[in-house]
Amino acid sequence: MKNRNFLVMLFMAIFTVIGVTSCNDDDEEGRKVTDYKEYTLTVASVKLPGVLTSSGSNVLTDVYAVKNEQSTDWEAQGSIGKFEYEEGYEYQIRISETSYLDYSMGDPAWTEYLLLEVISKERKDSENLPPHFIPNWYFEQYCPYINPAFAYAIEADQKEVIENDLKIDDTYKFGGLRYYMSFSRTDNWFLLDDDMHTVGHGVLIRRSKELTEFPESYKLLPPESKVVGYGEFNFVTGNDTENVVMQYDVFLSAQNRSKDVALQNVGIWLYKDLTAYYQSKYPAADVKAVVIRYEVKNL
């Protein structure tokens, strides 16, 4: 009986050693290079908004716009190791692309890009750049947009005339287009059509304001949730802060559940006072106040 127990223990020890050895072999194998190549890239003189996906997360950030040797179209490129980029210059660079595999990592497969050589650096504005590298699904799932179904309040003797004007003027509904906003390191706006083609884009400049800076007409149409802040949104094209496409006063609202510290609902309400405009357009209407309000959706 003792011999039998000894043999059982011996076999268990052998299998344990084999198992440990196999695990050690896997650990020692570790990181493997699965692919390596070198090629030349043209890097555009400006970075553009784009979406990078890593470990199941989608990150909106500024990315390089690049063209490889065989392409005439600009494509998005994330980080390039050892590349000291300076905006305003178009580069010709040679890089390496190394793909790795390591099953001990949370994300076992990844690719690294490393600068090998700067071939040329020329001050110029790169041509034929797209407005961004944000895919359609990201706009639809993650980017807030202005709901064109606006609300309004009117105080005037001929209220129906102004009300009809608001309803038939397609400008107030952005011509059937949709304004999306991305709040990243640089706030941007994008005007897209029904096919998600970019019609216009630019920079969204935000600034704080005091309630006392807002016109009294806004009291006719208060936000539908508790207000926690005030501000102003300026939609400008390019880097020209004077070229304002749209401007709205902003009410920020927030609500939280009774037992939760974290905010559960955040709201952005955009306001425009049109009193002076309609007083000039319809002087006989005795216009006292006209205000419209938009809600930012998909926050």
Side-chain angles (χ1 to χ4, degrees):
M1 181 65 69
K2 290 182 179 180
N3 289 338
R4 182 179 177 184
N5 289 340
F6 173 78
L7 289 174
V8 171
M9 293 174 65
L10 179 62
F11 279 120
M12 291 178 65
I14 291 172
F15 284 124
T16 301
V17 171
I18 292 174
V20 171
T21 303
S22 299
C23 291
N24 286 340
D25 287 343
D26 289 341
D27 290 342
E28 289 174 0
E29 185 178 6
R31 181 178 301 182
K32 296 191 301 184
V33 175
T34 57
D35 190 27
Y36 177 86
K37 51 190 172 184
E38 299 178 5
Y39 49 88
T40 300
L41 286 179
T42 299
V43 183
S45 56
V46 294
K47 285 187 170 184
L48 299 174
V51 175
L52 299 179
T53 301
S54 177
S55 301
S57 298
N58 302 304
V59 180
L60 180 63
T61 185
D62 290 336
V63 299
Y64 297 111
V66 303
K67 288 191 292 189
N68 63 34
E69 299 161 298
Q70 290 79 34
S71 177
T72 57
D73 296 326
W74 295 102
E75 299 176 353
Q77 173 73 44
S79 62
I80 302 174
K82 297 185 178 181
F83 182 33
E84 297 182 359
Y85 176 78
E86 186 177 358
E87 189 168 297
Y89 292 88
E90 186 174 282
Y91 291 80
Q92 290 282 333
I93 62 174
R94 189 157 186 82
I95 69 168
S96 64
E97 178 183 317
T98 308
S99 297
Y100 295 96
L101 185 66
D102 186 348
Y103 288 109
S104 69
M105 306 286 287
D107 191 3
W110 73 97
T111 302
E112 292 180 354
Y113 302 90
L114 184 66
L115 176 71
L116 300 176
E117 176 189 4
V118 175
I119 301 171
S120 66
K121 177 182 177 181
E122 179 184 2
R123 178 174 286 279
K124 63 178 295 187
D125 294 328
S126 298
E127 299 177 349
N128 301 317
L129 287 169
H132 57 80
F133 292 110
I134 304 175
N136 292 349
W137 57 264
Y138 191 88
F139 277 117
E140 294 172 334
Q141 295 181 33
Y142 298 105
C143 288
Y145 65 91
I146 304 175
N147 183 3
F150 62 92
Y152 61 86
I154 303 169
E155 278 193 355
D157 288 348
Q158 298 179 24
K159 179 179 178 180
E160 296 78 10
V161 175
I162 299 170
E163 187 174 41
N164 183 65
D165 195 85
L166 290 172
K167 290 179 178 179
I168 66 173
D169 191 339
D170 202 38
T171 303
Y172 297 116
K173 294 185 178 181
F174 314 126
L177 306 176
R178 180 173 287 183
Y179 275 94
Y180 285 89
M181 291 171 282
S182 67
F183 301 114
S184 57
R185 284 180 293 179
T186 301
D187 296 339
N188 294 275
W189 62 266
F190 306 91
L191 183 60
L192 306 182
D193 63 17
D194 289 339
D195 296 321
M196 304 301 287
H197 296 149
T198 304
V199 178
H201 64 98
V203 177
L204 177 62
I205 299 176
R206 296 184 285 168
R207 75 177 187 91
S208 298
K209 294 183 81 169
E210 298 294 333
L211 178 60
T212 54
E213 298 180 71
F214 288 168
E216 290 291 318
S217 61
Y218 293 169
K219 294 180 179 180
L220 299 174
L221 194 64
E224 297 176 5
S225 51
K226 182 180 179 181
V227 176
V228 297
Y230 312 94
E232 181 181 273
F233 280 5
N234 291 279
F235 296 71
V236 304
T237 56
N239 295 318
D240 185 0
T241 57
E242 300 299 323
N243 190 8
V244 179
V245 177
M246 298 193 305
Q247 183 181 76
Y248 293 102
D249 290 322
V250 178
F251 286 84
L252 300 175
S253 65
Q255 294 179 340
N256 56 342
R257 297 173 183 170
S258 57
K259 296 183 179 180
D260 291 342
V261 176
L263 295 176
Q264 300 298 321
N265 296 301
V266 177
I268 298 179
W269 308 87
L270 307 182
Y271 279 73
K272 174 74 71 174
D273 181 271
L274 300 174
T275 305
Y277 171 75
Y278 278 107
Q279 284 175 341
S280 175
K281 186 172 183 178
Y282 299 112
D286 192 20
V287 176
K288 299 176 180 64
V290 180
V291 58
I292 61 174
R293 183 192 70 196
Y294 299 91
E295 183 181 5
V296 176
K297 306 290 284 186
N298 200 29
L299 286 168

